[in-house]
């Protein structure tokens, strides 16, 4: 064999090994365990296999500007009683208040079809729910699915929260009372998935939410595929407060793929509970009466956000402000097309015990204000009588293969009395930053390779 041929063969062999190594790395969780095949299955929803199709207009539910909550709910109940099926929203704008889907029922919105929420909070019944890291009584969402197995939302149409009036009312109340919380000005979420498994939300536009856009609680095997999630507010600068794109709250196995997210708060926020005894589900506090709102707290495990595009948001990936234990989270292959405030944001509550571990952020391009932000989060701080401040931890955080322009590269504070940072890795980063200060000494065990951080005027 000629020398040139041998060298070519050797080069191709090494290239193949490198390619296989990258492919294998993409199939491992940050803790080194294997990612389940479920995460690589993006089979589309086929409504022809989901039973009878119940088209709104076939049941005298029309796009006539009237609120059709009771009629649509009756149709959902009818479908469930008849063995299940698909509620189909045809072309047009159909108004409704809160809807509760039943086992075996699904929602499909055709292109040009809009399911639009009422802007009167009385059209969303009160009930026991989960909101802002607490179990409490609050208003239901526009679309509610509780305790379902196999629920789907699909189509090319739109679920619109009709949020402008809620946003205006919130800012008026906040102007009157600076201490106004999110719950003080009552607003419905757009989609609330709770106690469910095997859920797929695919292709739809989810927009103009009054409050959080999608909230997934105590559920597993949930996929968001190819959705457009938008809630920035109207051109008159009435911003949509706390319109997070996707809030994950006590979940296991979640895939967010090929989505567009642009909202006036966090794009993907990892939640799970708050308060001085928020970790009572995993740790005993002998002699301590655990607050009732802490019941239902839990961990988040195995989450992948990939191949998405971000417009404006406060945080591309935010852990907190009400989160307890998060393990194996991947944000990868993300394009940021409009400056986001923070790429990775670790909100460390001084009144809540937290552990954020095995988090990987990789293959990111685009502009952000802060490449990494770690700081105490003291909004509505309350130790509820606890004398000592709980200690929190962030460890095994990896950020690699990123090309970003930012204002601040490493915006992290050392506060050992509140939280401890350990085992961080930065590698293959090409960053242009107005503030390129880097203080690896505040992290115990910081590994960094191939960092190119240049000044940006």
């Amino acid at each position: 064999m000629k020398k040139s041929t041998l060298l070519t063969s050797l080069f191709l062999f090494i290239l193949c090994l490198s390619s296989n190594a990258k492919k294998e790395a993409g199939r491992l969780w940050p803790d080194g365990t294997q990612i389940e095949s479920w995460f690589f299955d993006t089979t589309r929803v086929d409504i022809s296999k989901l039973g009878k199709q119940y088209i709104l207009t076939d049941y005298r539910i029309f796009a006539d500007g009237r609120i059709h909550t009771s009629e649509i709910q009756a149709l959902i109940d009818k479908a469930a009683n008849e063995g299940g099926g698909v509620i189909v929203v045809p072309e047009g704008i159909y108004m409704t208040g809160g809807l509760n889907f039943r086992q075996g029922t699904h929602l499909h919105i055709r292109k040009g079809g809009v399911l639009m929420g009422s802007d009167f909070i009385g059209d969303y019944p009160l009930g026991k729910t989960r909101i802002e890291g607490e179990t409490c009584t609050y208003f239901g969402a526009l679309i509610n699915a509780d305790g379902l197995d196999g629920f789907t939302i699909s189509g090319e149409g739109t679920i619109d929260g009709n949020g402008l009036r809620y946003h205006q009312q919130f800012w008026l109340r906040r102007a009157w009372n600076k201490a106004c919380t999110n719950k003080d000005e009552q607003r419905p979420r757009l989609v609330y998935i709770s106690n469910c498994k095997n859920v797929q939300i695919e292709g739809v536009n989810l927009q103009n939410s009054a409050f959080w856009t999608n909230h997934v609680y105590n559920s597993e095997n949930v996929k968001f595929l190819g959705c457009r999630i938008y809630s920035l507010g109207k051109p008159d600068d009435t911003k949509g407060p706390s319109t997070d794109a996707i809030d994950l709250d006590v979940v296991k196995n979640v895939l967010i793929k090929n989505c567009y997210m642009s909202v006036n708060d966090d794009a993907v926020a990892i939640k799970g509970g708050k308060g001085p005894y928020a970790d009572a589900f995993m740790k005993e506090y002998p002699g301590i009466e655990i607050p009732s709102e802490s019941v239902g707290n839990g961990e988040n495990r195995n989450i992948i956000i990939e191949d998405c595009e971000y417009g404006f948001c406060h945080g591309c990936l935010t852990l907190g402000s009400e989160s307890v234990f998060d393990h194996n989270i991947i944000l990868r292959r993300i394009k940021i097309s409009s400056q986001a405030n923070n790429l990775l944001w670790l909100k460390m509550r001084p009144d809540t015990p937290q552990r954020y571990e095995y988090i990987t952020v990789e293959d990111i391009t685009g502009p952000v204000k802060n490449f990494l932000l770690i700081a105490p989060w003291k909004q509505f701080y309350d130790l509820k009588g606890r004398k000592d401040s709980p200690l929190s931890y962030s460890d095994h955080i990896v950020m690699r293969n990123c090309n970003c322009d930012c204002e601040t590269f490493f915006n992290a504070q050392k506060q050992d009395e509140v939280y401890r940072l350990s085992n961080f890795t930065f590698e293959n980063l090409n960053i242009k930053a107005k503030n390129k200060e880097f203080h690896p000494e505040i992290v115990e065990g910081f590994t960094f390779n191939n960092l190119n951080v240049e000044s940006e005027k």
Side-chain angles (χ1 to χ4, degrees):
M1 182 181 291
K2 293 182 179 179
K3 184 177 181 180
S4 60
T5 304
L6 182 62
L7 288 174
T8 300
S9 299
L10 182 60
F11 173 76
L12 292 174
F13 176 70
I14 294 172
L15 191 64
C16 183
L17 286 178
S18 176
S19 177
N20 288 337
K22 285 184 177 181
K23 184 176 180 181
E24 182 60 26
R27 292 180 173 270
L28 296 178
W29 289 112
D31 69 1
T33 57
Q34 194 80 25
I35 296 175
E36 299 82 349
S37 60
W38 177 89
F39 284 89
F40 303 101
D41 181 1
T42 56
T43 304
R44 297 181 64 84
V45 173
D46 182 353
I47 63 170
S48 69
K49 297 179 180 179
L50 297 178
K52 180 179 177 179
Q53 296 180 22
Y54 296 80
I55 303 171
L56 296 189
T57 48
D58 288 349
Y59 295 86
R60 302 190 63 78
I61 300 171
F62 301 115
D64 53 12
R66 294 170 52 240
I67 305 293
H68 290 285
T69 313
S70 60
E71 297 98 318
I72 299 175
Q73 186 61 59
L75 188 58
I76 294 170
D77 296 342
K78 175 181 173 64
N81 292 333
E82 293 178 352
V86 186
I87 306 302
V88 178
V89 179
E91 186 174 352
I93 300 175
Y94 300 83
M95 303 287 294
T96 182
L99 300 171
N100 293 281
F101 280 78
R102 312 300 189 196
Q103 180 59 43
T105 62
H106 306 265
L107 176 62
H108 181 84
I109 307 174
R110 291 177 180 170
K111 186 175 183 178
V114 179
L115 196 62
M116 180 169 285
S118 164
D119 62 4
F120 172 52
I121 192 61
D123 288 323
Y124 302 85
L126 281 165
K128 187 68 71 175
T129 188
R130 177 79 174 184
I131 196 75
E132 291 202 319
E134 296 180 338
T135 300
C136 60
T137 298
Y138 195 68
F139 298 89
L142 178 60
I143 303 298
N144 300 273
D146 181 62
L148 307 187
D149 186 354
F151 177 64
T152 68
I153 300 175
S154 63
E156 298 179 68
T158 299
I159 302 175
D160 192 307
N162 196 16
L164 178 59
R165 179 176 291 183
Y166 294 106
H167 303 161
Q168 292 170 330
Q169 291 174 167
F170 176 87
W171 294 120
L172 281 171
R173 183 181 284 251
R174 178 62 66 84
W176 169 67
N177 176 14
K178 299 296 183 184
C180 167
T181 71
N182 276 325
K183 292 191 291 185
D184 288 338
E185 182 57 49
Q186 291 82 18
R187 299 173 288 153
R189 291 153 289 177
L190 195 72
V191 176
Y192 180 49
I193 306 294
S194 57
N195 308 303
C196 290
K197 56 184 178 180
N198 303 314
V199 174
Q200 187 156 314
I201 301 176
E202 173 194 301
V204 290
N205 302 303
L206 303 154
Q207 66 186 38
N208 300 330
S209 182
F211 195 6
W212 295 350
T213 307
N214 298 280
H215 180 193
V216 183
Y217 170 65
N218 195 35
S219 297
E220 61 180 282
N221 294 356
V222 177
K223 293 178 180 178
F224 288 85
L225 304 178
C227 297
R228 180 184 182 275
I229 304 171
Y230 180 88
S231 290
L232 277 182
K234 295 293 183 181
D236 65 357
D237 291 331
T238 303
K239 296 179 179 178
S242 299
T243 50
D244 302 9
I246 301 175
D247 288 302
L248 302 176
D249 184 2
V250 189
V251 300
K252 180 181 179 182
N253 297 343
V254 174
L255 174 65
I256 302 167
K257 187 177 180 70
N258 294 326
C259 292
Y260 174 81
M261 291 175 273
S262 187
V263 294
N264 189 46
D265 211 321
D266 297 321
V268 179
I270 314 299
K271 299 188 177 289
K274 67 178 179 181
Y277 304 106
D279 60 347
F281 68 91
M282 58 190 298
K283 176 183 177 181
E284 291 188 7
Y285 288 94
I288 300 295
E289 184 176 350
I290 305 303
S292 60
E293 60 267 23
S294 293
V295 175
N297 291 348
E299 66 175 41
N300 298 283
R301 185 179 292 269
N302 298 352
I303 298 165
I304 297 177
I305 308 111
E306 64 182 12
D307 302 312
C308 294
E309 180 180 350
Y310 285 69
F312 174 78
C313 62
H314 291 187
C316 296
L317 174 59
T318 301
L319 281 68
S321 55
E322 50 268 357
S323 195
V324 186
F325 182 79
D326 305 324
H327 181 98
N328 274 346
I329 301 173
I330 298 172
L331 177 74
R332 64 187 178 192
R333 300 193 299 270
I334 302 298
K335 175 185 176 183
I336 303 169
S337 55
S338 179
Q339 188 184 59
N341 282 351
N342 306 292
L343 176 53
L344 177 61
W345 190 359
L346 305 180
K347 291 182 176 179
M348 311 302 295
R349 289 191 70 98
D351 61 358
T352 299
Q354 304 151 314
R355 188 170 203 113
Y356 307 152
E357 64 178 21
Y358 294 101
I359 316 298
T360 295
V361 176
E362 60 186 354
D363 300 310
I364 314 293
T365 61
V368 293
K369 285 187 177 180
N370 293 295
F371 184 75
L372 172 65
L373 175 59
I374 307 174
W377 182 262
K378 295 183 178 180
Q379 188 179 42
F380 310 121
Y381 173 85
D382 187 359
L383 275 173
K384 299 182 184 294
R386 181 169 175 170
K387 302 303 180 182
D388 62 312
S389 182
L391 192 61
S392 295
Y393 302 86
S394 290
D395 59 86
H396 293 92
I397 311 296
V398 175
M399 303 184 77
R400 63 190 175 205
N401 305 332
C402 299
N403 291 275
C404 295
D405 294 347
C406 54
E407 294 185 10
T408 302
F409 169 55
F410 188 74
N411 193 344
Q413 302 178 26
K414 181 179 177 64
Q415 292 208 11
D416 285 345
E417 73 281 6
V418 179
Y419 54 83
R420 308 286 173 85
L421 310 175
S422 63
N423 299 310
F424 280 37
T425 299
F426 280 6
E427 59 184 5
N428 300 330
L429 301 181
N430 290 298
I431 307 294
K432 291 183 179 179
K434 292 180 181 178
N435 180 356
K436 65 175 191 174
E437 288 187 20
F438 181 39
H439 297 284
E441 69 276 4
I442 74 170
V443 177
E444 182 182 351
F446 205 136
T447 302
F448 46 94
N449 298 298
N450 194 21
L451 263 61
N452 180 23
V453 183
E454 299 179 356
S455 296
E456 183 183 71
K457 295 182 180 180

